[in-house]
Structure formats: structure tokens, C-alpha cells
Amino acid sequence: MNHLQRHQGGWAIALSLFVALLLAAMPMPDWAASWRPEWVAMVLIYWCMAMPGRVGIWTGWMLGLVLDVLQGGLLGQHSIGLSLVAFITLGLHKRLRVSPLLQQALAVALMLVLYRLIWLWIGVVTGQQAERSLVWLPALSSMLLWPWLFILLRDLRRRASVR
Amino acid sequence: MLCVVLSLLLMVLDHRYTYVEGIRSTLSAVVYPIRFLVDLPVEGGRWLSETLATRSRLLAENKALRRENLMLRSRFQKFASLSQENRRLRALLDSAQRVGERVLLADLMAADLEPGRQQIVLDKGSRDGVYPGQPLVDDNGVMGQIRHVGPFSSTALLLTDPAHAIPVQVNRTGLRAIAAGTGEGLLKVDYVPVSADIREGDQLISSGLGGRFPAGYPVAVVTAVSRDTGEAYARIVARPNARLQLAQHVLLVWPEVKPDHVDALTLGEKSR
């Protein structure tokens, strides 16, 4: 009984991650595709920050694997970056939670650049990626969207009383 | 830390060997709902525009199609007699008989994949007999090959992907070469000597070497040849015949000689 009370609202976490995966696969016009925000990574960062006991490195790793299959990349190419992002967020979650939204957005952008760089580096090393991809465009758009996403997910968390 | 090691292990296994293709295929069934949901609005829009098309437009289209059908049929009559003649001549020459190729129509699913790569998702999978390395054509030429197969859907690599290469032949001279993708909608033809007879406008067709692609399909048209006497090889750029970005339907081809063991993506892909 106690166990049931402690874990509540898991559907909200699952739903938000699922929607993030949908957004990651959504077709976009060519000019906008390079600006596509890192939806999955952002939602993962949010839940790591808000619910460090429930969402963590393994969630990030599994999510990365699903993303790899969804996008037809090398298995593990996203997992490694996402588990690192989760690891960093777990380490910083106390500080991140209380910092102003702008500062949060900056930290998120930095983590996303790291994530994309790792992804790109693996792509180039295995010869599957031309070296010209712009890594900082998605990080920039994600940074601009972070405050809104944060507020949205916070409301979702309160409404679903995720614990 | 364990995750990082596990990721690295998976990547090595996936890049060098084919052991993890089973995991990928299983997970692909898991991600199918996502693909389906993303594809739904696009498919719905197409359905709507087809349903709401005006009568006059349908009539006009019908007329045009009927005319085209007539033309194709008349051309096909000639083709039938030619293929008979070809078979007789081949029998005289005692050379191997070409068996007809089996094809299957597949629809593209709307989904954006890795940025910087040239891949598409098809709505046919291992349930329909699709296998990794299977060639893909449209009505204008070769499009690429299947890369990963799931139960209900599969991922295909286009000709223009940086990791893709196809053995080709210049139609005019019979010169053989390899056309590799550049990642930007064009192909580059590698390792052709400076002195070779190849020029702008030459049609490249698949040579059938390697046994992965059937021979004789149009692949690309040479758009630029630059010869630098200081270098051993000419720099050649070609544009694919197939409309890679516009296609909605593609044809999956089962070539007459299927390689007896398909070790995924070692023949068609650049070995590094």
C-alpha cells in the first residue's frame, strides 16, 4: 500500500515521453528540420530534475535505444548521449530546480550541445554522417522553448500529482 | 558508467556485425505505433484530397491515364516479341536465362529520420518477405536498398546517403565504376581514371556486379566531370534518375539471383 502511494502518476511521465518521441519523428519542411528542438532530451531533463528518484540514467538509455531504432541510426548512438545527459541532470538537479528559468535554459542548451556533439562524433567516426551538420541550431531552438516546456510539464506534473 | 559501456558495446556490435539485428527488429515493432501515429495526419490529408477531388478533375485524370495505358500497352506488345527474340538468341548463345523479377509496391511512411542522412521508412516489413539489402526502384530508376527490416515496416538507405555505394556502368561505353552518395542529393563516381571516356550527360546504369542490384536499371546521369592532371582519378558528379525526394510509392525488387547468404550491408555499403 505504501509502495502504491509513493509511486503515482506514472502515466503522465510515459505520456509526455511518448509525445516527445512523436514530435521527434514528425515530418517537417527541410528548412525547419535542422531547427527541430531536442524534444526527447528536453522532456528527459525535466523529469530527471523533478523526479530524480523515478526517472534516471536507465530511462535515458532505453529512450535513446528507442530513438535509435525510430530514426534508423546506429544502435546506442542516442543512448550514450541521453544517459550522459540524465547523469549530469541528476547530479545538478537540486541546483537546477531552484535557479531561474533563463539560467535553466542555458544549462539545458549546454547539455544538448554536448549530447549532439557526441552523436555527431560517433556518426562521423563510423562514416554515416557528413561532417557539415549544425549541432547548435537544435540547442538554440530548444533553449528558446525550454521555459514554455518547463511550465507545461510542471502543470502536467501537478495535475497528475506525480510523486 | 555501465550505460556508456553498454552503448559502446551495442554500437560496435551494430556497426561491425549483425548480431543485434534481432533486437532492432523487436524494437521496431515497439516503435511502429509512433510511426503509424505520425503518418496518420499525412495519410488522412491525402485521403481527404482524393475524396474531395472534383468530378471534372477526375474525368480529366481518367482520360489522361487511359491514353497513357493505351500507349504503354502498344509498347508492351513490341516488348513481348522482343523478349521472345532475346530468349531465343540467348538460347542460341547458350548463356544464362534471365528469369522475370518479382516486384512489390510499397508506400512511404511520413517520418523524419536522422538529420544529415538520406533514409526513408516503408510500410512493408518482414511479413511481406522484405530482406536487408533488397533493391528499391521507382518508375525512373534505382532508389536505394533496404537497411533494417521490422515486422511491419522497414528502413531504406537512399542512393545519396554518405554510407551508400552502388556498382554502375556507363551505358554508352560499358565502363564500370562505383557511385557513392554525398549526402546532398547527388552521387560521386569514384576511382575513374583521368583518361577514361566519360562525359557530361552519360547515363549510368546498374552493372549488377556484387549480386545485390539487378543489372540494367537506370541509376544516374553524369552532370559534371572535372579532370585535374595532377590527380589519378577524375572528379565526377551525377544526379540520380529516381525522384528521391518526391516519391510516394516505391517498388521492392526481388532480383533473379538472390545472394545465397545476405550478410547485411557488407556488399552494397562502403567497407571502411
Side-chain angles (χ1 to χ4, degrees):
Chain A
M1 205 60 207
N2 195 19
H3 181 78
L4 272 179
Q5 264 177 353
R6 266 198 297 131
H7 285 304
Q8 205 181 60
W11 64 269
I13 301 179
L15 180 75
S16 58
L17 288 175
F18 185 73
V19 171
L21 281 171
L22 281 188
L23 285 170
M26 190 87 93
M28 281 166 93
D30 277 346
W31 59 268
S34 52
W35 284 89
R36 181 198 298 279
E38 310 274 8
W39 295 110
V40 178
M42 282 206 292
V43 174
L44 178 75
I45 290 175
Y46 176 80
W47 288 117
C48 280
M49 205 168 79
M51 296 279 131
R54 297 192 60 180
V55 175
I57 300 174
W58 282 107
T59 320
W61 191 78
M62 294 295 283
L63 216 54
L65 215 57
V66 172
L67 206 55
D68 282 326
V69 174
L70 188 64
Q71 304 210 324
L74 203 60
L75 278 185
Q77 200 177 350
H78 277 107
S79 315
I80 192 167
L82 280 182
S83 42
L84 262 176
V85 163
F87 176 72
I88 297 172
T89 318
L90 285 183
L92 294 176
H93 76 273
K94 280 184 186 141
R95 199 184 299 180
L96 272 179
R97 254 194 229 168
V98 292
S99 54
L101 273 182
L102 258 171
Q103 208 171 320
Q104 266 183 24
L106 216 64
V108 167
L110 279 177
M111 280 192 271
L112 293 183
V113 167
L114 178 73
Y115 160 56
R116 263 300 159 198
L117 272 179
I118 293 173
W119 175 85
L120 182 69
W121 179 70
I122 293 166
V124 171
V125 164
T126 54
Q128 309 196 330
Q129 195 78 38
E131 287 164 53
R132 233 164 298 168
S133 314
L134 293 168
V135 278
W136 51 272
L137 285 184
L140 198 66
S141 60
S142 305
M143 187 174 81
L144 294 176
L145 279 172
W146 173 257
W148 282 271
L149 186 82
F150 179 84
I151 292 167
L152 203 74
L153 286 176
R154 192 184 55 191
D155 284 355
L156 177 73
R157 177 170 61 89
R158 286 183 184 158
R159 184 126 342 144
S161 55
V162 182
R163 256 177 287 169
Chain B
M1 209 60 227
L2 185 64
C3 284
V4 171
V5 173
L6 219 56
S7 305
L8 287 175
L9 192 72
L10 260 182
M11 280 190 275
V12 171
L13 282 179
D14 195 18
H15 188 52
R16 293 278 166 210
Y17 314 100
T18 52
Y19 302 130
V20 289
E21 207 54 38
I23 303 177
R24 187 187 284 279
S25 168
T26 315
L27 274 174
S28 150
V30 176
V31 302
Y32 183 72
I34 300 175
R35 282 184 176 160
F36 180 76
L37 277 176
V38 165
D39 188 43
L40 208 56
V42 180
E43 201 63 41
R46 205 176 293 157
W47 178 81
L48 212 65
S49 76
E50 267 171 22
T51 318
L52 299 181
T54 58
R55 186 164 171 272
S56 59
R57 220 192 76 198
L58 281 180
L59 280 177
E61 196 178 299
N62 204 334
K63 209 167 154 190
L65 284 176
R66 204 169 293 168
R67 200 176 306 143
E68 192 184 331
N69 192 15
L70 198 69
M71 266 167 60
L72 287 176
R73 265 167 182 268
S74 66
R75 214 176 290 169
F76 188 72
Q77 285 173 3
K78 216 180 197 176
F79 176 76
S81 74
L82 280 177
S83 97
Q84 274 297 333
E85 186 181 331
N86 191 341
R87 197 171 302 165
R88 275 200 304 276
L89 289 173
R90 274 181 185 276
L92 281 178
L93 288 171
D94 220 14
S95 78
Q97 194 108 340
R98 276 178 85 163
V99 197
E101 292 150 4
R102 196 156 71 85
V103 292
L104 177 70
L105 191 71
D107 279 347
L108 252 68
M109 292 182 84
D112 273 10
L113 301 173
E114 308 252 299
R117 304 210 57 189
Q118 310 273 324
Q119 299 189 74
I120 51 175
V121 180
L122 304 177
D123 68 342
K124 296 282 186 292
S126 54
R127 255 189 348 171
D128 308 283
V130 177
Y131 62 92
Q134 183 170 21
L136 212 66
V137 301
D138 75 352
D139 48 350
N140 293 314
V142 180
M143 290 188 75
Q145 59 177 301
I146 298 288
R147 183 175 168 83
H148 304 301
V149 182
F152 314 110
S153 61
S154 50
T155 318
L157 206 59
L158 294 180
L159 287 181
T160 46
D161 189 273
H164 192 276
I166 174 174
V168 294
Q169 194 169 11
V170 178
N171 205 10
R172 184 169 54 86
T173 57
L175 176 78
R176 279 190 288 267
I178 303 269
T182 58
E184 284 162 4
L186 292 172
L187 300 175
K188 60 180 198 297
V189 184
D190 289 333
Y191 314 122
V192 173
V194 176
S195 57
D197 178 17
I198 185 167
R199 56 179 179 237
E200 237 172 83
D202 273 348
Q203 173 70 53
L204 302 175
I205 58 172
S206 55
S207 70
L209 284 182
R212 177 152 301 195
F213 290 96
Y217 277 94
V219 175
V221 176
V222 176
T223 52
V225 181
S226 71
R227 292 188 169 86
D228 188 349
T229 38
E231 285 176 34
Y233 302 115
R235 204 167 300 148
I236 299 161
V237 180
R239 181 177 300 285
N241 282 107
R243 289 165 306 165
L244 299 178
Q245 307 303 330
L246 299 172
Q248 260 177 25
H249 311 286
V250 300
L251 284 171
L252 289 160
V253 183
W254 278 264
E256 59 261 55
V257 252
K258 195 186 154 191
D260 29 324
H261 79 109
V262 183
D263 45 343
L265 302 167
T266 43
L267 278 171
E269 234 181 322
K270 261 187 269 181
S271 54
R272 292 177 64 90

